[in-house]
Amino acid sequence: MRRLLPVTDLTTPAPAVAAADREWTLDELADAYAYPGGERPWLRANMVSTLDGAAQHDGRSQGISCPTDMRIFGTLRGLADAVVVGAETVRLEGYRPARARDAFAARREAAGQGPAPAIAVVSATLDLDFSLPLFVSPLVPTFVITGAAAPSDRVRAAREAGAEVLFAGDGAAVDPARALAELGGRGLDRLLTEGGPRLLGQFVAAGVLDELCLTLSPLLTAGDAQRIAGGPAIPVPERFSLVSLLEEGGFLFTRYGKI
């Protein structure tokens, strides 16, 4: 059974989709997950977790996902200006450039967006394979976000591969708020992060995460897999409110916004 249970949205009520024995259309999903309007970068995260809190199985998220989760994954990418991702996730998940999709072409053109979201890779060391298609043959240029103290030879390698390097920190580390400001300064305000857990933990700790789209997978894995957010705990837990809830086959597709 497929259901969308709308609750109060960040700006307007989420559109209702009647329960039906059919796939939600991409237009329905795009309406349900539309970005709110605003004059600053808006950072949304998209993650998946099992019932016992695992964000991965055998090191990857695919094993705990499902086809509808992947449709939502594609929809969120289709709405974003840029996808912000950590270097470790690029290595583990085999990231490739985002592709243009006909289903979102008119919507993106009306919003003044390019044909596909840019990928923005956050890395302090720039320990990345710059010969990969993500860097040498993307539809739109890939960004690499690092600190001012990043190794100069790796900065040069990134630029020679065709990536645009952004500096968002005075030392080796990347400052999350400055990273978002750098992207926003280039007109990339609708931001989506797909992790990994370390990067998401940094965004949470910095207080810059606006929204979390979390798929709760009806699986138990045990083991010691990472949670969706890692790193040091923040002193006071931050409260988010439920924006909308979709359900299919025991999977819950939640959307939470900062209060």
Side-chain angles (χ1 to χ4, degrees):
M1 184 175 184
R2 295 180 170 87
R3 294 179 292 170
L4 171 58
L5 309 177
V7 296
T8 303
D9 201 343
L10 302 174
T11 52
T12 58
V17 178
D21 243 349
R22 60 171 177 80
E23 281 190 336
W24 290 303
T25 69
L26 292 179
D27 277 338
E28 287 172 335
L29 290 175
D31 288 341
Y33 285 93
Y35 278 84
E39 297 181 355
R40 64 170 180 84
W42 182 274
L43 180 63
R44 159 186 287 168
N46 182 35
M47 302 292 283
V48 59
S49 171
T50 63
L51 294 176
D52 52 350
Q56 306 163 337
H57 184 62
D58 288 338
R60 302 188 66 182
S61 60
Q62 185 174 359
I64 61 174
S65 182
C66 70
T68 297
D69 183 45
M70 297 310 298
R71 283 173 63 79
I72 292 173
F73 173 94
T75 298
L76 297 183
R77 280 196 165 199
L79 298 173
D81 294 329
V83 177
V84 188
V85 64
E88 183 67 9
T89 297
V90 167
R91 290 187 288 264
L92 289 175
E93 301 279 357
Y95 260 60
R96 298 184 62 83
R99 58 189 178 90
R101 298 183 60 186
D102 291 343
F104 299 103
R107 191 180 291 261
R108 293 186 67 86
E109 184 177 2
Q113 296 173 295
I119 305 294
V121 184
V122 177
S123 176
T125 64
L126 302 186
D127 180 18
L128 296 159
D129 182 354
F130 292 116
S131 68
L132 294 175
L134 177 60
F135 302 104
V136 300
S137 58
L139 183 62
V140 294
T142 293
F143 292 92
V144 174
I145 307 176
T146 191
S152 58
D153 61 324
R154 301 306 295 160
V155 171
R156 183 170 58 254
R159 287 172 170 161
E160 289 174 350
E164 182 174 346
V165 180
L166 306 180
F167 294 103
D170 297 328
V174 172
D175 179 283
R178 287 177 63 176
L180 303 189
E182 287 291 333
L183 292 170
R186 287 156 178 79
L188 306 174
D189 291 329
R190 303 172 187 88
L191 302 177
L192 169 67
T193 181
E194 297 166 352
R198 183 184 305 173
L199 180 62
L200 181 55
Q202 292 171 358
F203 286 135
V204 171
V208 297
L209 184 69
D210 295 297
E211 183 180 325
L212 172 64
C213 298
L214 175 65
T215 295
L216 185 62
S217 173
L219 299 175
L220 294 169
T221 63
D224 56 0
Q226 288 182 295
R227 297 163 48 197
I228 66 166
I234 58 177
V236 179
E238 187 172 17
R239 180 72 180 266
F240 278 56
S241 62
L242 184 64
V243 175
S244 64
L245 174 63
L246 295 82
E247 183 274 340
E248 182 190 31
F251 282 82
L252 299 180
F253 308 100
T254 71
R255 182 181 173 199
Y256 285 89
K258 184 182 293 186
I259 293 177

